[in-house]
Amino acid sequence: MSKKLTVAVVGATGAVGREMLKTLHERDFPATEIRAFASARSAGTKVPYGDKELTVQELKEDVFEGIDLAIFSAGGSTSQKFAPHAAKAGCVVVDNSAAWRMDDRCPLVVPEVNAHALEGHNGIIANPNCSTIQMLVVLKPLHDAVKIKRVVVSTYQAVSGTGQKGIEELERQVRDLFNGRDPECNTYPYRIAFNALPHIDVFLDNDYTKEEMKMVHETVKIFEDPSVKVTATCVRVPVFYCHAESVNIETEKKLTAKDARVMLSQAPGVRVVDNPRELMYPMPSYCVGEDETYVGRIREDETIENGLNLWIVADNVRKGAALNAVQIGEELIKRDLLRVTDKNVFLK
């Protein structure tokens, strides 16, 4: 890899794209040049990068020549159309959508969990689902120590997971209710303000939602262990930022809550906040803007021989999206993997 490094953010005008630019700057990512891309209607607008502004360029199939790394956050259809052209141009793609996550040609990576999967990549690397990322950052050290057999997870997901339109709908509905108006439901099928919707993404034939099955399939792929059984219930809650999760695990060997706290306090990317007697536990309002994944309410499940309950909270726009993608970029540089060996894999 040359000393000069050109990085592109695709979908730079969206909430996650802006957070990616912010994260690249905050972490002093070693880029000589940063370029911002979005759709034709956003071309020419400005987006912040540190104390400067970048002019947004129109995303086209031929813009990737000379770009070393492109971080995509522009939706699955955009990634499917443009990421193969980026790889053909020799540009490594880190994609935040679901488009490539279960593609056997693409590693699905959480750097604290399975950075080794980057070895031998084909040019497109997938960023996992936000809820999967924060859960596995916490579960990986426990799985390594005592092998997790089964995971039961219920999520409480912020409206920012739906993007800016989710944030705006919650804001608008709260104002409407306080002013005696009937709130309109445009983004969600029911009112989200002062409510909880056990429905994220579409329902599938098995009556689980697509979001729930993402957590199931992505966990198996990232852990590289089909014996781990996962069941999930994903709920949208009226919180702007940070997803929370109630996670119950059953393990092959006994692990006490005390030992789990010690183990997790030493795990990369994890912060333990767990002192119930002092009312100390992670909350979404506590974790906004934070890079670490927080865990608390660590206690033994008294209904089974080897079980633990955990409460996990992380900023879904940071670690659940932008930060994880940037960390993948950092890991590619560290491992000297910022190159595409076969540029035609995804266009054959």
Side-chain angles (χ1 to χ4, degrees):
M1 186 184 71
S2 64
K3 292 182 179 179
K4 291 185 177 181
L5 182 64
T6 300
V7 176
V9 173
V10 176
T13 57
V16 174
R18 289 172 181 267
E19 192 68 27
M20 286 172 170
L21 288 168
K22 179 182 176 184
T23 305
L24 286 165
H25 184 264
E26 288 178 348
R27 294 176 71 86
D28 197 22
F29 196 88
T32 309
E33 182 183 2
I34 301 286
R35 299 182 190 174
F37 291 94
S39 63
R41 67 178 179 272
S42 296
T45 60
K46 305 284 187 179
V47 289
Y49 180 71
D51 57 0
K52 301 183 295 185
E53 287 187 325
L54 303 176
T55 300
V56 177
Q57 303 173 53
E58 181 181 353
L59 180 63
K60 298 179 181 179
E61 293 178 355
D62 60 357
V63 300
F64 296 100
E65 202 68 43
I67 296 175
D68 301 287
L69 173 69
I71 305 177
F72 276 60
S73 184
S77 59
T78 299
S79 294
Q80 287 177 324
K81 179 179 179 180
F82 290 98
H85 292 282
K88 183 173 176 59
C91 172
V92 178
V93 172
V94 178
D95 180 47
N96 193 54
S97 79
W100 303 99
R101 289 176 187 159
M102 300 313 298
D103 191 308
D104 291 338
R105 298 168 295 179
C106 303
L108 183 65
V109 176
V110 181
E112 297 93 336
V113 176
N114 66 330
H116 66 273
L118 292 170
E119 301 287 345
H121 72 80
N122 293 304
I124 300 177
I125 296 143
N127 217 27
N129 183 46
C130 45
S131 297
T132 306
I133 290 172
Q134 66 185 69
M135 182 173 76
L136 297 194
V137 167
V138 173
L139 295 190
K140 181 57 161 62
L142 306 181
H143 184 57
D144 287 345
V146 293
K147 186 167 173 44
I148 295 171
K149 295 166 56 179
R150 183 169 185 257
V151 179
V152 181
V153 54
S154 295
T155 71
Y156 308 84
Q157 295 180 222
V159 294
S160 53
T162 316
Q164 190 62 33
K165 62 183 180 180
I167 296 171
E168 292 173 356
E169 180 137 316
L170 176 56
E171 289 177 336
R172 185 175 58 254
Q173 289 183 354
V174 169
R175 286 197 303 268
D176 286 344
L177 288 168
F178 274 116
N179 286 283
R181 298 189 296 264
D182 290 333
E184 291 185 6
C185 300
N186 300 315
T187 301
Y188 303 110
Y190 299 99
R191 193 188 81 211
I192 186 61
F194 309 107
N195 201 8
L197 307 180
H199 171 194
I200 298 177
D201 213 323
V202 298
F203 282 99
L204 304 174
D205 290 342
N206 63 356
D207 290 336
Y208 284 80
T209 64
K210 194 173 181 181
E211 182 83 358
E212 290 159 355
M213 295 311 298
K214 286 177 187 176
M215 296 192 74
V216 174
H217 297 312
E218 290 177 21
T219 296
V220 170
K221 181 172 180 177
I222 293 168
F223 272 0
E224 300 174 1
D225 189 346
S227 71
V228 179
K229 305 303 180 185
V230 182
T231 187
T233 300
C234 293
V235 182
R236 187 73 68 192
V237 294
V239 170
F240 286 116
Y241 296 98
C242 295
H243 293 348
E245 299 173 345
S246 173
V247 181
N248 174 275
I249 61 171
E250 183 179 3
T251 59
E252 284 193 354
K253 300 176 183 177
K254 178 70 174 177
L255 182 66
T256 67
K258 181 179 179 180
D259 287 343
R261 288 189 196 98
V262 172
M263 194 175 297
L264 290 172
S265 68
Q266 300 169 352
V270 176
R271 181 179 295 187
V272 177
V273 179
D274 191 20
N275 188 345
R277 290 173 180 78
E278 298 296 327
L279 306 185
M280 295 177 63
Y281 36 73
M283 297 176 289
S285 61
Y286 191 89
C287 302
V288 175
E290 297 293 321
D291 287 347
E292 293 170 300
T293 297
Y294 287 67
V295 60
R297 297 298 319 277
I298 302 167
R299 60 206 188 278
E300 292 167 40
D301 181 348
E302 297 177 349
T303 68
I304 55 177
E305 185 175 353
N306 300 328
L308 287 176
N309 289 301
L310 309 102
W311 175 251
I312 300 169
V313 184
D315 189 322
N316 56 296
V317 178
R318 293 284 295 185
K319 182 55 183 170
L323 174 63
N324 199 78
V326 172
Q327 287 177 308
I328 290 172
E330 293 170 343
E331 196 68 32
L332 287 167
I333 293 171
K334 177 183 174 183
R335 294 170 178 258
D336 193 25
L337 294 172
L338 205 55
R339 60 184 179 276
V340 181
T341 305
D342 184 348
K343 296 180 180 181
N344 295 303
V345 168
F346 298 97
L347 286 174
K348 288 178 178 177

